[in-house]
Amino acid sequence: MAHDHAMPTDLTRNQGLVLGALNHAPAPLSAYDILDLLRSEGLRAPLQIYRALDKLVERGLAHRLESLNAFVACADEHCHRKGLIAFAICEGCGKVDEFADPVIEERLGNWARETGFKTERTTMEIRGRCAECLKAA
Amino acid sequence: MAHDHAMPTDLTRNQGLVLGALNHAPAPLSAYDILDLLRSEGLRAPLQIYRALDKLVERGLAHRLESLNAFVACADEHCHRKGLIAFAICEGCGKVDEFADPVIEERLGNWARETGFKTERTTMEIRGRCAECLKAA
DNA sequence: ATCAATACGTTATAGCATAACATCGCCGCA
DNA sequence: TGCGGCGATGTTATGCTATAACGTATTGAT
């Protein structure tokens, strides 16, 4: 099912190319992976990729996985996802599952309120093995 | 308060130096920051730092902050901390607050059980501003 | 004494990310 | 129409983060 997500029409050429690459990938891609995929389209420098990624992440069309130094397309077709998202990353096949948990969000919110911490961004990443890879083992 | 934590006696020289550097730092340090602090002790190569860090992290004496590519000493004096730990990282002063929340742990456990995912490691990092920095602003 | 396991030291290299500067195209507006 | 701002682009150079591959040294058990 790694195919045509709804693709916004107001992306620039580079942003579109980068998002396309992410959409068609079965697993997270590093900026340099993306660059290699897009050399045939005329992209040459890391910065071209990073700039596009910055915009995509800013708009929630892509996510950065901190523990991997890599990026994935947002799994939510219409990218309505607000707030906290958790990622489950399979070390076997590389697939990433994206989910939100309101209870966790609430707990973190409570903690922040109690300690006076102003949250700007939360990253939550689970590493392990997905059901399929466990079955295959 | 950034001083003498209980320091295990069975550390190697390099491990002790690295943990010492982390213990005395007011904020997370990158491996290269640590290297610079320890050149006077004769350390010269990144690998010497990374190897020590690997052991320290493995034993729970230090933690890696994925969103920072940096390391901190474990805040728990006796390092009894098991399971999931969340980190709140202040973008102002760099201070890191470490806490555990059993409810969050339970929620993640439930999610894993339901989807058949075998969790190996979880990272949870909150970026924002601490109460002190907000007051100072 | 020997062997295995672990730590150490060193050089080289791979992988991830941004600084700095010049150009171009688009759009609003005098 | 032309000016000016803004955001995207292209390019070169550089900096930061992490590991590969090799050899030596130390330790500890049998």
Side-chain angles (χ1 to χ4, degrees):
Chain A
M1 307 287 143
H3 62 290
D4 309 306
H5 296 215
M7 183 99 103
T9 59
D10 62 341
L11 296 176
T12 66
R13 169 174 159 82
N14 287 2
Q15 290 164 18
L17 287 169
V18 168
L19 184 52
L22 289 177
N23 275 336
H24 290 85
L29 298 176
S30 77
Y32 282 73
D33 291 339
I34 298 172
L35 178 54
D36 287 338
L37 288 172
L38 296 180
R39 280 190 200 283
S40 57
E41 299 288 345
L43 297 205
R44 287 160 228 254
L47 216 47
Q48 298 177 284
I49 309 300
Y50 281 109
R51 289 203 273 230
L53 284 170
D54 281 348
K55 293 301 177 194
L56 295 172
V57 169
E58 200 177 297
R59 293 181 51 172
L61 298 169
H63 302 292
R64 177 189 175 85
L65 300 174
E66 301 284 358
S67 68
L68 243 40
N69 292 330
F71 301 83
V72 286
C74 177
D76 186 44
E77 294 280 328
H78 300 297
C79 293
H80 290 146
R81 208 82 98 180
K82 311 267 190 245
L84 182 139
I85 307 173
F87 300 93
I89 302 165
C90 176
E91 320 250 52
C93 62
K95 273 203 301 228
V96 176
D97 203 338
E98 190 179 324
F99 66 98
D101 184 320
V103 173
I104 293 177
E105 199 162 356
E106 189 206 329
R107 298 290 293 187
L108 290 178
N110 286 346
W111 179 90
R113 192 157 0 84
E114 284 160 17
T115 58
F117 190 92
K118 184 176 169 216
T119 299
E120 240 128 58
R121 194 155 54 85
T122 301
T123 92
M124 186 135 108
E125 300 176 16
I126 304 172
R127 307 285 295 266
R129 302 221 144 224
C130 71
E132 278 195 23
C133 284
L134 288 172
K135 224 182 312 173
Chain B
M1 318 274 160
H3 63 288
D4 311 305
H5 296 216
M7 183 99 103
T9 59
D10 62 342
L11 296 176
T12 66
R13 168 173 158 83
N14 288 1
Q15 290 163 18
L17 288 169
V18 168
L19 184 53
L22 290 176
N23 275 336
H24 290 85
L29 298 176
S30 77
Y32 283 74
D33 291 337
I34 298 171
L35 177 55
D36 288 337
L37 289 172
L38 296 181
R39 280 189 200 284
S40 57
E41 298 290 345
L43 299 205
R44 287 158 225 256
L47 215 47
Q48 297 177 284
I49 310 298
Y50 281 109
R51 291 203 272 230
L53 284 170
D54 282 348
K55 293 301 178 197
L56 294 173
V57 168
E58 201 177 296
R59 293 182 51 172
L61 297 170
H63 303 291
R64 176 189 175 86
L65 300 174
E66 301 284 359
S67 68
L68 243 40
N69 292 329
F71 302 82
V72 286
C74 178
D76 187 45
E77 295 280 326
H78 300 297
C79 292
H80 290 145
R81 208 82 100 181
K82 311 265 190 250
L84 180 138
I85 308 174
F87 300 92
I89 303 165
C90 177
E91 320 250 53
C93 62
K95 275 203 302 231
V96 176
D97 202 339
E98 191 179 322
F99 66 98
D101 184 318
V103 174
I104 293 176
E105 197 161 357
E106 190 205 329
R107 297 289 295 186
L108 290 177
N110 287 345
W111 179 90
R113 190 153 6 79
E114 283 160 18
T115 59
F117 189 92
K118 185 177 168 215
T119 298
E120 239 128 58
R121 193 156 54 87
T122 301
T123 93
M124 185 135 105
E125 299 176 16
I126 305 173
R127 309 285 294 268
R129 301 220 145 225
C130 71
E132 277 195 23
C133 284
L134 288 172
K135 224 181 311 173

